[in-house]
Amino acid sequence: MTENKKRAEKSPVDKAKANADKQKRFRERQKEAGKKLVRGYVTPEAKVCYDEIRDKTGWTDSEAMSNAMRLMYAAYKCGQIKLLNEWLRKNNR
């Protein structure tokens, strides 16, 4: 058997282990970069904003994510994305 055929015939267990190892390395790189997992990796600055929103509103993680998406969509539909981005920059967010 050639070397290429041996590689192609990996067992499902080997493939799953390789994928798990790859995901673990990715998570470690994100943590080393100072990012935290909140339905995706966010910068420390974004985490501060996220925590502030949750503290002020009392929303759960799911509610905060859902409402954030709804607000962004509403800003997009009303042509207010530029205004929102300017406010975020002006207020160091």
Side-chain angles (χ1 to χ4, degrees):
M1 212 182 268
T2 67
E3 187 65 30
N4 288 340
K5 283 188 178 181
K6 286 182 182 178
R7 287 184 189 158
E9 296 176 6
K10 287 185 178 179
S11 72
V13 172
D14 291 338
K15 289 179 185 178
K17 183 170 180 353
N19 190 43
D21 290 341
K22 184 178 178 182
Q23 290 176 0
K24 183 178 179 182
R25 288 190 306 271
F26 174 77
R27 287 190 301 269
E28 288 170 353
R29 282 194 311 269
Q30 295 301 314
K31 287 179 185 175
E32 288 170 4
K35 296 182 179 178
K36 180 161 173 55
L37 179 63
V38 183
R39 306 251 182 142
Y41 288 92
V42 297
T43 63
E45 295 84 7
K47 179 69 171 111
V48 169
C49 293
Y50 173 79
D51 290 338
E52 184 179 339
I53 289 168
R54 290 201 47 209
D55 290 342
K56 288 183 178 182
T57 62
W59 290 339
T60 64
D61 178 58
S62 292
E63 291 169 331
M65 290 292 123
S66 177
N67 288 332
M69 286 187 281
R70 291 167 62 195
L71 289 167
M72 285 299 299
Y73 182 72
Y76 163 75
K77 289 302 273 185
C78 296
Q80 300 298 315
I81 293 292
K82 183 178 178 185
L83 180 66
L84 178 59
N85 282 332
E86 288 173 2
W87 183 90
L88 290 169
R89 271 190 225 102
K90 179 182 170 187
N91 291 281
N92 297 322
R93 298 297 182 161

